[in-house]
Amino acid sequence: VIGRHSSTTIERYIEFELKRLNIKQEQLVSITTDNGSDIKKATSTLKFGNRISCMAHNLNLVVKHGLCLWKQPNPD
């Protein structure tokens, strides 16, 4: 996606790719995504089926947070 990753832009991009691949929205059962607020909003309309959270991404977040690998917030 070029430009801002807004939910509208992401939704249009998914629709573009489905059309390019000759996949009709009626054929979709689910879509797997990360937990970003923009992607969750883009797929919340159920146009692409039920949204399923990516388990590999979730596991990565659990390990990252469990091992304290995230950046500490700046106190300023």
Side-chain angles (χ1 to χ4, degrees):
V1 175
I2 297 172
R4 190 167 174 252
H5 292 132
S6 69
S7 61
T8 305
T9 304
I10 293 170
E11 185 176 355
R12 286 187 199 142
Y13 184 74
I14 293 170
E15 289 171 340
F16 168 79
E17 287 297 326
L18 290 173
K19 185 175 182 179
R20 190 177 68 82
L21 295 168
N22 295 319
I23 299 172
K24 294 181 173 72
Q25 288 179 348
E26 303 84 44
Q27 296 173 302
L28 297 176
V29 175
S30 65
I31 185 167
T32 303
T33 71
D34 65 11
N35 293 323
S37 60
D38 51 355
I39 192 76
K40 286 168 72 173
K41 185 175 180 183
T43 58
S44 67
T45 62
L46 301 179
K47 284 168 50 172
F48 311 113
N50 292 321
R51 189 187 77 80
I52 298 173
S53 181
C54 176
M55 293 307 293
H57 185 258
N58 292 340
L59 181 59
N60 177 41
L61 291 174
V62 168
V63 170
K64 186 170 126 178
H65 288 276
L67 295 175
C68 301
L69 298 176
W70 69 93
K71 293 180 180 179
Q72 293 291 333
N74 189 352
D76 295 332

